[in-house]
Amino acid sequence: MKKRILTYFIYVIAAAIGSTTVLLTVLTYNMFEKRVIEDLSVNARVFSALIEKEGEERVLSALDDGLRVTLVHADGAVYFDSAANPAEMGNHANRPEIRQALEEGEGRYVRTSETVDRSTFYYAVRMENGDALRVAEEASSIWSIYIRALPLILLIMLLMMALSVYAASVLTRRLIEPIEQMTAHLDHMEGVARYPELEPFMGMIKKQHEEILKSADMRVEFTANVSHELKTPLTSISGYAELIESGMATGEQATRFAGEIHKSANRLLALINDIIRLSQMDSPAQELAMETVDLAQIAANVVEQLRLSAQKMEVSLELDARTAFVQADRRMMEELLYNLCDNAIRYNVRGGAVHVTVHPARERAIVTVQDTGIGISKENQAHVFERFYRVDKSRSKATGGTGLGLAIVKHIAAKHGADIEMDSELGRGTRISVSFERTGRG
């Protein structure tokens, strides 16, 4: 980036110096030309007055070096020239400066000789007797002036280029310096020199950097948690299998150990399924199969699926659902309701109850799952939606919980723009509500 900016600066500087040099040369030559014409105008009027008083021969004695005077009759015939024989000169009636002088009183013209690279400046006036007096002077052309001055011009241009490149290099370094400092100090950008124009950009970069670090920390923590969670059931399976294999467990004991292996394997499968599901939800490429779904119907299906599980835990499961249509991914809605209800059953007490309600409220559709379980303390409520977080770890493992159910609920709610509210008290139970934007029946 620095090299590209410096290159652009050099291109612009070179173009500016070159165009300025050419422009100044042209302006200087125009001023020079104007000055020569003015001098010739003065000389022409002086010579005209001398001729009228003292004759043509008086002109020769008053001529300066380089000046040439020509007298032309009104018909264009030359009858006097200070530098040539008039008899050998052709008719000058069509010369621009002569014709203009005879018609308008004065005329001027510049002719450039390509062979000698010089310009001849002509100025003519009409005298009182009707004849034309022309004064001429040779001078270097603009190109010869430019060529003679070229070494000096090039020297000045090189000096200017060197100074400009140095200045451009310093400016580029100062321009890029805040960005380089920001790159080197992403964690502490408060003291970094910055431009007001970079504030939004730097704020965005800082936010993204913090999100990346947070995501990396979460991935490290998640990997550690996964390793730990997978290790526990695998260790149990390996230990029980080794006892059976060695013949140390026989009969009823072998049957009990086989049951423990089966239980650990089921827990391991549940854990793997939840991890895979979370990974799928984390993928930015995942697309939602959005459709109009009735949350009441989905809740009824989930309650029926979990009724046997509730009976085993001696928990009553009740449903109060009114039709509420939302735009959502049907499978994810089933997962969300299943995890909420499953958690309410697992963390309940014997003889407890789980009450599931679905009802529309103005522009929203609200799903609520309330239980009479063990409840969650205030300090733990902020963490229950984190992955692998368990309020009661021994109870969770005993009931087969993976610690990922509410994390999946949070992911699904976020993907559907839903709001989650939780109210819980230790020993009295937990109520979790998820509010969706409601839609008409599709």
Short mmCIF file of all heavy atoms in Angstrom, two decimals, residues 131-193:
data_model
loop_
_atom_site.label_atom_id
_atom_site.label_comp_id
_atom_site.label_asym_id
_atom_site.label_seq_id
_atom_site.Cartn_x
_atom_site.Cartn_y
_atom_site.Cartn_z
N ASP A 131 1.92 55.39 -47.76
CA ASP A 131 2.84 54.26 -47.86
C ASP A 131 2.89 53.51 -46.53
O ASP A 131 2.42 54.00 -45.50
CB ASP A 131 4.24 54.73 -48.23
CG ASP A 131 4.27 55.32 -49.65
OD1 ASP A 131 3.31 55.04 -50.40
OD2 ASP A 131 5.23 56.02 -49.96
N ALA A 132 3.51 52.31 -46.57
CA ALA A 132 3.64 51.50 -45.35
C ALA A 132 5.09 51.41 -44.96
O ALA A 132 5.97 51.23 -45.81
CB ALA A 132 3.06 50.09 -45.56
N LEU A 133 5.35 51.56 -43.66
CA LEU A 133 6.70 51.39 -43.13
C LEU A 133 6.68 50.15 -42.25
O LEU A 133 5.86 50.01 -41.34
CB LEU A 133 7.11 52.61 -42.30
CG LEU A 133 8.52 52.55 -41.69
CD1 LEU A 133 9.12 53.95 -41.67
CD2 LEU A 133 8.49 51.99 -40.26
N ARG A 134 7.61 49.25 -42.54
CA ARG A 134 7.67 48.00 -41.78
C ARG A 134 9.02 47.89 -41.08
O ARG A 134 10.07 48.12 -41.68
CB ARG A 134 7.48 46.81 -42.72
CG ARG A 134 7.43 45.47 -41.98
CD ARG A 134 7.32 44.31 -42.95
NE ARG A 134 8.57 44.13 -43.69
CZ ARG A 134 8.73 43.21 -44.64
NH1 ARG A 134 7.71 42.41 -44.97
NH2 ARG A 134 9.88 43.08 -45.26
N VAL A 135 8.96 47.52 -39.81
CA VAL A 135 10.16 47.29 -39.01
C VAL A 135 10.19 45.80 -38.66
O VAL A 135 9.18 45.22 -38.26
CB VAL A 135 10.17 48.13 -37.73
CG1 VAL A 135 11.43 47.87 -36.94
CG2 VAL A 135 10.04 49.61 -38.06
N ALA A 136 11.37 45.16 -38.84
CA ALA A 136 11.50 43.72 -38.56
C ALA A 136 12.71 43.46 -37.68
O ALA A 136 13.70 44.19 -37.74
CB ALA A 136 11.62 42.95 -39.86
N GLU A 137 12.60 42.41 -36.88
CA GLU A 137 13.72 42.00 -36.04
C GLU A 137 13.68 40.49 -35.87
O GLU A 137 12.61 39.90 -35.64
CB GLU A 137 13.64 42.66 -34.66
CG GLU A 137 14.82 42.33 -33.77
CD GLU A 137 14.76 43.07 -32.44
OE1 GLU A 137 13.73 43.73 -32.17
OE2 GLU A 137 15.73 42.98 -31.67
N GLU A 138 14.84 39.88 -36.02
CA GLU A 138 14.92 38.44 -35.84
C GLU A 138 15.18 38.11 -34.36
O GLU A 138 15.90 38.84 -33.68
CB GLU A 138 16.05 37.84 -36.68
CG GLU A 138 15.68 37.63 -38.12
CD GLU A 138 16.69 36.78 -38.85
OE1 GLU A 138 17.75 36.49 -38.27
OE2 GLU A 138 16.42 36.40 -40.00
N ALA A 139 14.58 37.02 -33.91
CA ALA A 139 14.80 36.56 -32.54
C ALA A 139 14.68 35.05 -32.52
O ALA A 139 14.14 34.43 -33.44
CB ALA A 139 13.78 37.20 -31.58
N SER A 140 15.19 34.45 -31.49
CA SER A 140 15.10 33.00 -31.38
C SER A 140 13.64 32.57 -31.27
O SER A 140 12.82 33.24 -30.65
CB SER A 140 15.86 32.52 -30.14
OG SER A 140 17.22 32.87 -30.23
N SER A 141 13.33 31.41 -31.86
CA SER A 141 11.98 30.88 -31.75
C SER A 141 11.78 30.29 -30.36
O SER A 141 12.73 30.10 -29.59
CB SER A 141 11.74 29.79 -32.80
OG SER A 141 12.53 28.65 -32.50
N ILE A 142 10.54 29.97 -30.06
CA ILE A 142 10.24 29.41 -28.75
C ILE A 142 10.98 28.10 -28.53
O ILE A 142 11.44 27.79 -27.44
CB ILE A 142 8.71 29.21 -28.59
CG1 ILE A 142 8.41 28.71 -27.16
CG2 ILE A 142 8.16 28.23 -29.61
CD1 ILE A 142 6.93 28.66 -26.84
N TRP A 143 11.13 27.31 -29.63
CA TRP A 143 11.79 26.01 -29.48
C TRP A 143 13.29 26.17 -29.25
O TRP A 143 13.89 25.44 -28.46
CB TRP A 143 11.54 25.15 -30.72
CG TRP A 143 10.08 24.87 -30.91
CD1 TRP A 143 9.29 25.28 -31.94
CD2 TRP A 143 9.24 24.13 -30.02
NE1 TRP A 143 8.00 24.85 -31.77
CE2 TRP A 143 7.94 24.14 -30.59
CE3 TRP A 143 9.44 23.48 -28.80
CZ2 TRP A 143 6.87 23.52 -29.98
CZ3 TRP A 143 8.36 22.86 -28.20
CH2 TRP A 143 7.09 22.88 -28.79
N SER A 144 13.90 27.14 -29.92
CA SER A 144 15.33 27.35 -29.70
C SER A 144 15.59 27.86 -28.29
O SER A 144 16.57 27.50 -27.65
CB SER A 144 15.89 28.33 -30.74
OG SER A 144 15.27 29.59 -30.62
N ILE A 145 14.69 28.73 -27.82
CA ILE A 145 14.82 29.21 -26.44
C ILE A 145 14.68 28.05 -25.47
O ILE A 145 15.45 27.90 -24.52
CB ILE A 145 13.75 30.29 -26.14
CG1 ILE A 145 14.03 31.55 -26.98
CG2 ILE A 145 13.72 30.62 -24.66
CD1 ILE A 145 12.94 32.60 -26.86
N TYR A 146 13.70 27.20 -25.74
CA TYR A 146 13.45 26.06 -24.87
C TYR A 146 14.64 25.10 -24.86
O TYR A 146 15.06 24.61 -23.81
CB TYR A 146 12.19 25.33 -25.33
CG TYR A 146 11.74 24.24 -24.40
CD1 TYR A 146 11.05 24.52 -23.23
CD2 TYR A 146 12.03 22.91 -24.68
CE1 TYR A 146 10.64 23.52 -22.36
CE2 TYR A 146 11.63 21.89 -23.82
CZ TYR A 146 10.94 22.21 -22.67
OH TYR A 146 10.55 21.22 -21.82
N ILE A 147 15.22 24.86 -26.08
CA ILE A 147 16.34 23.93 -26.19
C ILE A 147 17.57 24.48 -25.46
O ILE A 147 18.29 23.75 -24.78
CB ILE A 147 16.66 23.64 -27.67
CG1 ILE A 147 15.52 22.78 -28.25
CG2 ILE A 147 17.99 22.92 -27.82
CD1 ILE A 147 15.60 22.61 -29.75
N ARG A 148 17.81 25.78 -25.62
CA ARG A 148 18.96 26.38 -24.94
C ARG A 148 18.81 26.33 -23.41
O ARG A 148 19.77 26.19 -22.68
CB ARG A 148 19.16 27.84 -25.40
CG ARG A 148 19.74 27.96 -26.79
CD ARG A 148 20.37 29.33 -27.00
NE ARG A 148 19.40 30.39 -26.82
CZ ARG A 148 18.64 30.91 -27.79
NH1 ARG A 148 18.74 30.41 -29.03
NH2 ARG A 148 17.80 31.87 -27.54
N ALA A 149 17.55 26.49 -22.98
CA ALA A 149 17.30 26.48 -21.53
C ALA A 149 17.07 25.08 -20.99
O ALA A 149 16.93 24.91 -19.77
CB ALA A 149 16.07 27.35 -21.22
N LEU A 150 17.06 24.08 -21.90
CA LEU A 150 16.73 22.72 -21.49
C LEU A 150 17.63 22.17 -20.38
O LEU A 150 17.12 21.58 -19.42
CB LEU A 150 16.75 21.78 -22.70
CG LEU A 150 16.20 20.36 -22.47
CD1 LEU A 150 14.75 20.44 -21.99
CD2 LEU A 150 16.31 19.54 -23.74
N PRO A 151 18.95 22.32 -20.44
CA PRO A 151 19.79 21.81 -19.34
C PRO A 151 19.41 22.39 -17.99
O PRO A 151 19.32 21.66 -16.99
CB PRO A 151 21.20 22.22 -19.76
CG PRO A 151 21.13 22.34 -21.25
CD PRO A 151 19.77 22.88 -21.54
N LEU A 152 19.17 23.71 -17.96
CA LEU A 152 18.79 24.34 -16.71
C LEU A 152 17.40 23.85 -16.25
O LEU A 152 17.18 23.58 -15.07
CB LEU A 152 18.78 25.86 -16.87
CG LEU A 152 18.40 26.67 -15.62
CD1 LEU A 152 19.36 26.36 -14.46
CD2 LEU A 152 18.36 28.16 -15.92
N ILE A 153 16.50 23.73 -17.25
CA ILE A 153 15.15 23.26 -16.92
C ILE A 153 15.21 21.85 -16.35
O ILE A 153 14.55 21.54 -15.35
CB ILE A 153 14.25 23.29 -18.18
CG1 ILE A 153 13.99 24.75 -18.60
CG2 ILE A 153 12.94 22.56 -17.94
CD1 ILE A 153 13.27 24.89 -19.92
N LEU A 154 16.00 20.98 -16.99
CA LEU A 154 16.13 19.60 -16.50
C LEU A 154 16.73 19.55 -15.11
O LEU A 154 16.30 18.76 -14.26
CB LEU A 154 16.98 18.77 -17.47
CG LEU A 154 16.33 18.44 -18.83
CD1 LEU A 154 17.33 17.72 -19.72
CD2 LEU A 154 15.08 17.58 -18.62
N LEU A 155 17.73 20.40 -14.88
CA LEU A 155 18.35 20.43 -13.56
C LEU A 155 17.34 20.85 -12.49
O LEU A 155 17.23 20.23 -11.42
CB LEU A 155 19.54 21.40 -13.56
CG LEU A 155 20.27 21.56 -12.22
CD1 LEU A 155 20.85 20.23 -11.76
CD2 LEU A 155 21.36 22.63 -12.35
N ILE A 156 16.57 21.89 -12.82
CA ILE A 156 15.55 22.36 -11.87
C ILE A 156 14.49 21.28 -11.65
O ILE A 156 14.06 21.03 -10.52
CB ILE A 156 14.90 23.66 -12.38
CG1 ILE A 156 15.94 24.79 -12.39
CG2 ILE A 156 13.71 24.04 -11.53
CD1 ILE A 156 15.46 26.07 -13.03
N MET A 157 14.10 20.62 -12.77
CA MET A 157 13.09 19.56 -12.65
C MET A 157 13.58 18.41 -11.79
O MET A 157 12.84 17.87 -10.96
CB MET A 157 12.70 19.05 -14.05
CG MET A 157 11.85 20.01 -14.86
SD MET A 157 11.45 19.36 -16.51
CE MET A 157 10.40 17.97 -16.08
N LEU A 158 14.85 18.04 -11.96
CA LEU A 158 15.40 16.94 -11.16
C LEU A 158 15.46 17.31 -9.68
O LEU A 158 15.14 16.48 -8.81
CB LEU A 158 16.80 16.58 -11.68
CG LEU A 158 16.85 15.86 -13.02
CD1 LEU A 158 18.30 15.71 -13.49
CD2 LEU A 158 16.19 14.48 -12.92
N LEU A 159 15.87 18.55 -9.41
CA LEU A 159 15.90 19.00 -8.02
C LEU A 159 14.50 19.00 -7.41
O LEU A 159 14.29 18.55 -6.28
CB LEU A 159 16.52 20.39 -7.92
CG LEU A 159 18.03 20.48 -8.19
CD1 LEU A 159 18.48 21.94 -8.22
CD2 LEU A 159 18.80 19.70 -7.12
N MET A 160 13.55 19.51 -8.21
CA MET A 160 12.17 19.54 -7.73
C MET A 160 11.63 18.13 -7.52
O MET A 160 10.92 17.85 -6.54
CB MET A 160 11.29 20.31 -8.72
CG MET A 160 11.57 21.80 -8.77
SD MET A 160 10.56 22.66 -10.02
CE MET A 160 8.93 22.48 -9.32
N MET A 161 11.97 17.23 -8.45
CA MET A 161 11.52 15.84 -8.33
C MET A 161 12.11 15.19 -7.07
O MET A 161 11.41 14.50 -6.33
CB MET A 161 11.94 15.04 -9.56
CG MET A 161 11.01 15.19 -10.76
SD MET A 161 9.39 14.44 -10.46
CE MET A 161 9.84 12.72 -10.31
N ALA A 162 13.41 15.44 -6.84
CA ALA A 162 14.06 14.85 -5.67
C ALA A 162 13.41 15.35 -4.39
O ALA A 162 13.10 14.56 -3.48
CB ALA A 162 15.55 15.18 -5.69
N LEU A 163 13.19 16.68 -4.32
CA LEU A 163 12.56 17.25 -3.14
C LEU A 163 11.12 16.74 -2.99
O LEU A 163 10.67 16.43 -1.88
CB LEU A 163 12.56 18.78 -3.22
CG LEU A 163 13.93 19.45 -3.08
CD1 LEU A 163 13.82 20.95 -3.34
CD2 LEU A 163 14.49 19.21 -1.66
N SER A 164 10.42 16.64 -4.13
CA SER A 164 9.03 16.19 -4.09
C SER A 164 8.92 14.73 -3.68
O SER A 164 8.03 14.35 -2.92
CB SER A 164 8.37 16.40 -5.46
OG SER A 164 8.39 17.76 -5.83
N VAL A 165 9.82 13.89 -4.22
CA VAL A 165 9.81 12.46 -3.85
C VAL A 165 10.09 12.30 -2.35
O VAL A 165 9.45 11.49 -1.67
CB VAL A 165 10.83 11.67 -4.69
CG1 VAL A 165 11.03 10.28 -4.12
CG2 VAL A 165 10.38 11.59 -6.14
N TYR A 166 11.04 13.10 -1.85
CA TYR A 166 11.34 13.04 -0.42
C TYR A 166 10.12 13.47 0.39
O TYR A 166 9.74 12.80 1.37
CB TYR A 166 12.53 13.95 -0.10
CG TYR A 166 12.80 14.07 1.38
CD1 TYR A 166 13.39 13.02 2.09
CD2 TYR A 166 12.45 15.22 2.08
CE1 TYR A 166 13.63 13.12 3.45
CE2 TYR A 166 12.67 15.33 3.44
CZ TYR A 166 13.28 14.28 4.12
OH TYR A 166 13.50 14.39 5.46
N ALA A 167 9.50 14.58 -0.05
CA ALA A 167 8.31 15.05 0.66
C ALA A 167 7.18 14.03 0.57
O ALA A 167 6.47 13.77 1.55
CB ALA A 167 7.85 16.40 0.08
N ALA A 168 7.01 13.43 -0.62
CA ALA A 168 5.97 12.41 -0.80
C ALA A 168 6.24 11.20 0.08
O ALA A 168 5.30 10.62 0.65
CB ALA A 168 5.90 11.99 -2.27
N SER A 169 7.52 10.83 0.19
CA SER A 169 7.87 9.68 1.03
C SER A 169 7.54 9.96 2.49
O SER A 169 6.98 9.10 3.19
CB SER A 169 9.37 9.39 0.89
OG SER A 169 9.75 8.34 1.74
N VAL A 170 7.85 11.17 2.95
CA VAL A 170 7.55 11.55 4.34
C VAL A 170 6.05 11.58 4.56
O VAL A 170 5.53 11.05 5.56
CB VAL A 170 8.18 12.92 4.67
CG1 VAL A 170 7.70 13.40 6.04
CG2 VAL A 170 9.69 12.83 4.64
N LEU A 171 5.32 12.19 3.61
CA LEU A 171 3.86 12.28 3.74
C LEU A 171 3.21 10.90 3.72
O LEU A 171 2.29 10.62 4.48
CB LEU A 171 3.29 13.14 2.62
CG LEU A 171 3.58 14.65 2.70
CD1 LEU A 171 3.09 15.36 1.45
CD2 LEU A 171 2.91 15.25 3.93
N THR A 172 3.72 10.02 2.83
CA THR A 172 3.18 8.66 2.75
C THR A 172 3.40 7.91 4.05
O THR A 172 2.51 7.23 4.56
CB THR A 172 3.83 7.90 1.58
OG1 THR A 172 3.60 8.61 0.36
CG2 THR A 172 3.25 6.50 1.45
N ARG A 173 4.62 8.06 4.59
CA ARG A 173 4.94 7.39 5.85
C ARG A 173 4.03 7.88 6.97
O ARG A 173 3.53 7.09 7.78
CB ARG A 173 6.40 7.60 6.20
CG ARG A 173 6.86 6.80 7.41
CD ARG A 173 8.36 6.81 7.58
NE ARG A 173 8.90 8.14 7.77
CZ ARG A 173 9.59 8.82 6.86
NH1 ARG A 173 9.83 8.28 5.68
NH2 ARG A 173 10.05 10.04 7.11
N ARG A 174 3.81 9.19 7.01
CA ARG A 174 2.95 9.74 8.05
C ARG A 174 1.50 9.35 7.84
O ARG A 174 0.74 9.18 8.80
CB ARG A 174 3.08 11.27 8.08
CG ARG A 174 4.44 11.74 8.59
CD ARG A 174 4.50 13.25 8.70
NE ARG A 174 5.78 13.70 9.23
CZ ARG A 174 6.11 14.97 9.39
NH1 ARG A 174 5.23 15.93 9.08
NH2 ARG A 174 7.30 15.29 9.87
N LEU A 175 1.11 9.21 6.57
CA LEU A 175 -0.26 8.81 6.25
C LEU A 175 -0.53 7.38 6.66
O LEU A 175 -1.59 7.05 7.20
CB LEU A 175 -0.51 8.98 4.75
CG LEU A 175 -1.90 8.61 4.23
CD1 LEU A 175 -2.93 9.57 4.78
CD2 LEU A 175 -1.91 8.64 2.71
N ILE A 176 0.45 6.51 6.43
CA ILE A 176 0.27 5.08 6.71
C ILE A 176 0.57 4.74 8.16
O ILE A 176 0.10 3.73 8.68
CB ILE A 176 1.18 4.26 5.77
CG1 ILE A 176 0.82 4.54 4.30
CG2 ILE A 176 1.06 2.77 6.04
CD1 ILE A 176 -0.60 4.18 3.95
N GLU A 177 1.34 5.58 8.84
CA GLU A 177 1.80 5.28 10.19
C GLU A 177 0.67 4.91 11.15
O GLU A 177 0.79 3.91 11.89
CB GLU A 177 2.60 6.46 10.75
CG GLU A 177 3.24 6.18 12.09
CD GLU A 177 4.09 7.35 12.58
OE1 GLU A 177 4.01 8.43 11.95
OE2 GLU A 177 4.80 7.19 13.56
N PRO A 178 -0.47 5.67 11.17
CA PRO A 178 -1.54 5.27 12.10
C PRO A 178 -2.08 3.87 11.83
O PRO A 178 -2.40 3.13 12.75
CB PRO A 178 -2.62 6.33 11.86
CG PRO A 178 -1.88 7.50 11.31
CD PRO A 178 -0.77 6.92 10.49
N ILE A 179 -2.17 3.50 10.54
CA ILE A 179 -2.68 2.17 10.19
C ILE A 179 -1.70 1.10 10.64
O ILE A 179 -2.10 0.05 11.17
CB ILE A 179 -2.93 2.07 8.67
CG1 ILE A 179 -3.97 3.12 8.24
CG2 ILE A 179 -3.39 0.68 8.27
CD1 ILE A 179 -4.22 3.18 6.76
N GLU A 180 -0.39 1.36 10.44
CA GLU A 180 0.62 0.39 10.88
C GLU A 180 0.62 0.26 12.40
O GLU A 180 0.74 -0.85 12.95
CB GLU A 180 2.00 0.83 10.38
CG GLU A 180 2.15 0.73 8.87
CD GLU A 180 3.51 1.22 8.39
OE1 GLU A 180 4.15 1.98 9.16
OE2 GLU A 180 3.92 0.85 7.28
N GLN A 181 0.49 1.39 13.09
CA GLN A 181 0.43 1.35 14.54
C GLN A 181 -0.81 0.61 15.02
O GLN A 181 -0.76 -0.15 15.99
CB GLN A 181 0.44 2.78 15.12
CG GLN A 181 1.76 3.51 14.95
CD GLN A 181 1.70 4.91 15.52
OE1 GLN A 181 0.65 5.39 15.92
NE2 GLN A 181 2.84 5.57 15.58
N MET A 182 -1.91 0.84 14.32
CA MET A 182 -3.14 0.16 14.67
C MET A 182 -3.00 -1.35 14.49
O MET A 182 -3.44 -2.15 15.32
CB MET A 182 -4.29 0.67 13.78
CG MET A 182 -5.63 0.01 14.04
SD MET A 182 -6.87 0.60 12.88
CE MET A 182 -6.25 -0.12 11.36
N THR A 183 -2.32 -1.76 13.40
CA THR A 183 -2.10 -3.19 13.14
C THR A 183 -1.23 -3.81 14.22
O THR A 183 -1.46 -4.95 14.64
CB THR A 183 -1.43 -3.37 11.77
OG1 THR A 183 -2.22 -2.73 10.77
CG2 THR A 183 -1.29 -4.84 11.42
N ALA A 184 -0.25 -3.05 14.69
CA ALA A 184 0.67 -3.58 15.69
C ALA A 184 0.11 -3.54 17.10
O ALA A 184 0.62 -4.21 17.99
CB ALA A 184 1.99 -2.81 15.64
N HIS A 185 -0.95 -2.74 17.31
CA HIS A 185 -1.50 -2.59 18.66
C HIS A 185 -3.02 -2.74 18.63
O HIS A 185 -3.76 -1.87 19.11
CB HIS A 185 -1.13 -1.22 19.26
CG HIS A 185 0.33 -0.94 19.30
ND1 HIS A 185 1.01 -0.37 18.23
CD2 HIS A 185 1.27 -1.17 20.26
CE1 HIS A 185 2.29 -0.26 18.55
NE2 HIS A 185 2.47 -0.74 19.76
N LEU A 186 -3.49 -3.84 18.07
CA LEU A 186 -4.93 -4.06 17.97
C LEU A 186 -5.59 -4.18 19.35
O LEU A 186 -6.77 -3.84 19.51
CB LEU A 186 -5.21 -5.34 17.15
CG LEU A 186 -5.04 -5.19 15.63
CD1 LEU A 186 -5.20 -6.55 14.97
CD2 LEU A 186 -6.04 -4.20 15.06
N ASP A 187 -4.84 -4.65 20.32
CA ASP A 187 -5.41 -4.82 21.65
C ASP A 187 -5.48 -3.51 22.43
O ASP A 187 -6.29 -3.38 23.35
CB ASP A 187 -4.58 -5.83 22.46
CG ASP A 187 -4.66 -7.22 21.85
OD1 ASP A 187 -5.74 -7.55 21.33
OD2 ASP A 187 -3.66 -7.96 21.90
N HIS A 188 -4.60 -2.55 22.08
CA HIS A 188 -4.56 -1.27 22.80
C HIS A 188 -4.41 -0.14 21.79
O HIS A 188 -3.31 0.35 21.54
CB HIS A 188 -3.41 -1.25 23.81
CG HIS A 188 -3.39 -2.42 24.73
ND1 HIS A 188 -4.26 -2.54 25.80
CD2 HIS A 188 -2.64 -3.56 24.73
CE1 HIS A 188 -4.02 -3.68 26.43
NE2 HIS A 188 -3.05 -4.32 25.79
N MET A 189 -5.51 0.29 21.21
CA MET A 189 -5.46 1.31 20.17
C MET A 189 -5.76 2.72 20.70
O MET A 189 -5.80 3.67 19.93
CB MET A 189 -6.45 0.98 19.05
CG MET A 189 -6.08 -0.26 18.25
SD MET A 189 -7.02 -0.40 16.71
CE MET A 189 -8.64 -0.73 17.35
N GLU A 190 -5.96 2.85 22.03
CA GLU A 190 -6.33 4.15 22.57
C GLU A 190 -5.22 5.18 22.36
O GLU A 190 -5.47 6.34 22.10
CB GLU A 190 -6.64 4.03 24.07
CG GLU A 190 -7.91 3.28 24.39
CD GLU A 190 -7.79 1.78 24.22
OE1 GLU A 190 -6.63 1.29 24.08
OE2 GLU A 190 -8.82 1.08 24.23
N GLY A 191 -3.95 4.76 22.48
CA GLY A 191 -2.84 5.70 22.36
C GLY A 191 -2.28 5.82 20.96
O GLY A 191 -1.28 6.50 20.75
N VAL A 192 -2.90 5.15 20.00
CA VAL A 192 -2.38 5.17 18.63
C VAL A 192 -2.79 6.47 17.94
O VAL A 192 -3.94 6.90 18.03
CB VAL A 192 -2.92 3.96 17.84
CG1 VAL A 192 -2.46 4.04 16.39
CG2 VAL A 192 -2.42 2.66 18.47
N ALA A 193 -1.81 7.12 17.25
CA ALA A 193 -2.12 8.34 16.49
C ALA A 193 -3.11 7.97 15.40
O ALA A 193 -2.97 6.98 14.71
CB ALA A 193 -0.85 8.91 15.87
#
